[in-house]
């Protein structure tokens, strides 16, 4: 089953690959490191297939199991956002941004823009104000186009490309 999944993924047959890998994970016979890698791959494959709900489920499972790849958290955030789960996206983004601030790092402008958009879509004025205030402090934030500061930033191609991973 595992080899079938690898072959299917290599051939671009994502539904077959995900079914095979899900069966392997469900079998419960993987070592923890192999399970973590398989769960990470499942999240990536579902995201690639634009099945954002399943991508979020598998990315969340990876993180819950103690996975440490920071890119999987970003995949989780993007999956929530593209799947319309703005509460989950905002929660995860705020956690990343708060951790950056606590460590003295400057949050990335694209993530602040995405957080502002999530809060705007949720009607959370306090959250939007937080994100916009942080955007004004971020490198390039003061130079950002006016549209990037409004709740309609979902229509900003740079934000959508960043969320979809097309930098």
């Amino acid at each position: 089953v595992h080899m079938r999944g690898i072959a299917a993924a290599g051939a671009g047959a994502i539904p077959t690959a995900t079914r095979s890998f899900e069966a392997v994970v469900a079998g419960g016979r993987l070592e923890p490191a192999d399970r973590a890698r398989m769960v990470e791959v499942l999240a990536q494959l579902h995201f690639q297939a634009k099945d954002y709900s399943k991508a979020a489920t598998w990315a969340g499972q990876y993180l819950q199991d103690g996975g440490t790849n920071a890119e999987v958290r970003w995949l989780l955030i993007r999956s929530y956002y593209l799947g319309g789960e703005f509460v989950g996206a905002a929660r995860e983004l705020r956690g990343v941004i708060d951790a950056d601030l606590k460590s003295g790092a400057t949050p990335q402008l694209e993530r602040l823009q995405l957080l502002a958009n999530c809060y705007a879509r949720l009607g959370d004025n306090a959250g939007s104000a937080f994100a916009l205030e942080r955007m004004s402090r971020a490198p390039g934030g003061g130079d950002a186009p006016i549209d990037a500061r409004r709740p309609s930033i979902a229509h900003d191609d740079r934000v959508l490309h960043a969320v979809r991973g097309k930098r």
Side-chain angles (χ1 to χ4, degrees), residues 15-87:
T16 301
T18 56
R19 280 192 305 275
S20 295
F21 290 145
E22 287 171 355
V24 171
V25 170
R29 295 181 184 190
L30 294 171
E31 294 294 322
D34 293 333
R35 180 182 174 6
R37 180 67 187 134
M38 187 78 57
V39 170
E40 180 180 354
V41 167
L42 278 163
Q44 293 166 345
L45 287 172
H46 281 296
F47 186 86
Q48 187 178 353
K50 297 182 180 173
D51 187 343
Y52 302 120
S53 175
K54 285 186 180 180
T57 297
W58 286 107
Q61 185 64 55
Y62 172 85
L63 295 167
Q64 216 173 30
D65 290 350
T68 58
N69 183 346
E71 288 302 312
V72 176
R73 183 164 308 280
W74 183 230
L75 186 132
L76 174 64
I77 291 166
R78 294 181 321 182
S79 296
Y80 279 147
Y81 182 84
L82 292 170
E85 295 292 330
F86 303 114
V87 171

Side-chain angles (χ1 to χ4, degrees), residues 1-14:
V1 174
H2 182 255
M3 293 306 289
R4 185 177 337 136
I6 292 170
I14 294 173

Side-chain angles (χ1 to χ4, degrees), residues 99-114:
D100 284 347
L101 293 170
K102 186 176 179 180
S103 72
T106 302
Q108 294 177 15
L109 181 59
E110 70 183 5
R111 293 181 183 188
L112 290 166
Q113 290 172 327
L114 189 60

